[in-house]
Amino acid sequence: MSHVPHELHEEFPEATETLHTLKTEDAHFARLADEYHTVNREVHRIETDVEPASDEVLEDLKKKRLHLKDQIAALLAAAANTVS
């Protein structure tokens, strides 16, 4: 199992500029990105045994992170389509 944090700029390396732009110009995107970061950090702390949690809690957090990532990916794709 990999215990590497899944930072947005690593998950979407081709969209680094768009990530920055949307974080600064779109309040909804900024909230999603902040929530993703919070959940992601919590998952990482649990996976590295810094913070204890049950397997169920960890799985729920991973599902939440994936759902947030899907929403972020959709907004990035929409932003890319408006630029093209």
Side-chain angles (χ1 to χ4, degrees), residues 58-68:
L58 179 59
E59 287 306 309
D60 287 345
L61 286 168
K62 286 181 174 183
K63 288 176 185 176
K64 185 174 183 177
R65 179 177 65 185
L66 183 59
H67 180 68
L68 289 164

Side-chain angles (χ1 to χ4, degrees), residues 37-76:
H37 179 72
T38 300
V39 171
N40 187 46
R41 291 276 114 203
E42 191 168 352
V43 167
H44 186 64
R45 284 192 308 271
I46 293 168
E47 288 181 336
T48 56
D49 296 325
V50 171
E51 184 176 308
S54 68
D55 290 344
E56 293 82 18
V57 168
L58 179 59
E59 287 306 309
D60 287 345
L61 286 168
K62 286 181 174 183
K63 288 176 185 176
K64 185 174 183 177
R65 179 177 65 185
L66 183 59
H67 180 68
L68 289 164
K69 183 180 170 186
D70 288 345
Q71 291 178 65
I72 290 167
L75 291 171
L76 287 171

